[in-house]
Amino acid sequence: KAGVTQTPRYLIKTRGQQVTLSCSPISGHRSVSWYQQTPGQGLQFLFEYFSETQRNKGNFPGRFSGRQFSNSRSEMNVSTLELGDSALYLCASSLDGENTEAFFGQGTRLTVV
Amino acid sequence: AQSVTQPDIHITVSEGASLELRCNYSYGATPYLFWYVQSPGQGLQLLLKYFSGDTLVQGIKGFEAEFKRSQSSFNLRKPSVHWSDAAEYFCAVAQYSSASKIIFGSGTRLSIRP
């Protein structure tokens, strides 16, 4: 079956702009989580969406937001980009409930200049 | 505070040699414990996970990990490494087995000496 698909794979934006990243989960998965990976801070949880509702949230400023559609596809948006937002953004999907596994996409590499 | 410590930033082993990657964690409740692998330019792949039961867990690609509650450790091992094992390895903890709110360690980069 198809894996988690993230688009675009690479993105270059200018400081102050906004950006939207997309994640299509594995078919049947209703939970989608987003992570930011940077050399300095490592992998950090941004938020999780389940059935179109944000269920969990990490410690990121309000400039980082997301949403989930009825087909479980998710988008995350970063407004007023800062240089420090340059990172690999990873999306992961999973079934809900116990004893499930998280499947990660290949990520979107965002560079802010 | 919840945290994961991987004390080794970079390890180099010879092909065919054994491997052990260290991981210590701090977590209030009984967590799920994971090991993930990330190849350059790729996402994360789950190697194995533990929540309860037998403290020696078998994973994919010949990896295993041992949970030691008294030491709050979850070390990853492989008896004989292959050149294709070169990658970054992340230990992680979470309240759930799904993708939500996973706390990752800083990673250990594994290089393989021919």
Side-chain angles (χ1 to χ4, degrees), chain B residues 4-11 20-25 35 75 91 105-108:
Chain B
V4 178
T5 301
Q6 293 180 249
D8 303 307
I9 296 173
H10 184 205
I11 285 181
E20 182 168 27
L21 302 182
R22 297 182 290 164
C23 172
N24 291 92
Y25 69 92
W35 275 99
N75 293 350
C91 181
S106 55
T108 297

Side-chain angles (χ1 to χ4, degrees), chain B residues 77-97:
Chain B
R77 301 196 294 245
K78 187 170 185 178
S80 175
V81 298
H82 186 261
W83 63 267
S84 60
D85 292 325
E88 185 110 25
Y89 291 80
F90 294 93
C91 181
V93 299
Q95 183 179 356
Y96 314 103
S97 68

Side-chain angles (χ1 to χ4, degrees), chain A residues 36-45 60 84 86-87, chain B residues 90 104-106:
Chain A
Q36 181 196 63
Q37 185 176 23
T38 61
Q41 299 299 316
L43 281 152
Q44 295 184 287
F45 171 70
F60 277 80
S86 295
Chain B
F90 294 93
F104 289 91
S106 55

Side-chain angles (χ1 to χ4, degrees), chain B residues 5 7 38 46 55 67 76:
Chain B
T5 301
Q38 185 178 36
L46 179 67
T55 57
F67 170 64
L76 182 71

Side-chain angles (χ1 to χ4, degrees), chain A residues 2 13 17 29 34 37 50 56 64 69 71 77 85 111:
Chain A
K13 289 287 188 179
Q17 287 186 312
H29 288 191
W34 289 88
Q37 185 176 23
F50 179 79
N56 286 297
F64 292 83
F69 302 94
N71 61 358
N77 183 276
D85 297 333
T111 301

Side-chain angles (χ1 to χ4, degrees), chain A:
Chain A
K1 57 182 176 182
V4 178
T5 303
Q6 291 188 246
T7 56
R9 289 292 311 278
Y10 302 92
L11 207 49
I12 300 175
K13 289 287 188 179
T14 303
R15 193 170 41 180
Q17 287 186 312
Q18 74 164 12
V19 67
T20 300
L21 312 181
S22 179
C23 172
S24 293
I26 291 173
S27 178
H29 288 191
R30 294 196 295 164
S31 170
V32 174
S33 294
W34 289 88
Y35 288 83
Q36 181 196 63
Q37 185 176 23
T38 61
Q41 299 299 316
L43 281 152
Q44 295 184 287
F45 171 70
L46 281 154
F47 31 65
E48 178 208 9
Y49 283 85
F50 179 79
S51 292
E52 303 179 62
T53 302
Q54 187 180 88
R55 186 161 68 172
N56 286 297
K57 187 177 186 305
N59 297 321
F60 277 80
R63 299 186 298 107
F64 292 83
S65 62
R67 60 177 175 169
Q68 187 179 35
F69 302 94
S70 58
N71 61 358
S72 294
R73 188 177 71 85
S74 177
E75 290 181 346
M76 69 163 282
N77 183 276
V78 188
S79 62
T80 319
L81 283 166
E82 301 176 359
L83 296 179
D85 297 333
S86 295
L88 180 68
Y89 290 89
L90 292 165
C91 162
S93 76
S94 60
L95 291 167
D96 202 31
E98 293 295 315
N99 205 30
T100 60
E101 178 181 338
F103 293 85
F104 282 81
Q106 292 186 296
T108 293
R109 171 74 64 185
L110 171 65
T111 301
V112 182
V113 298

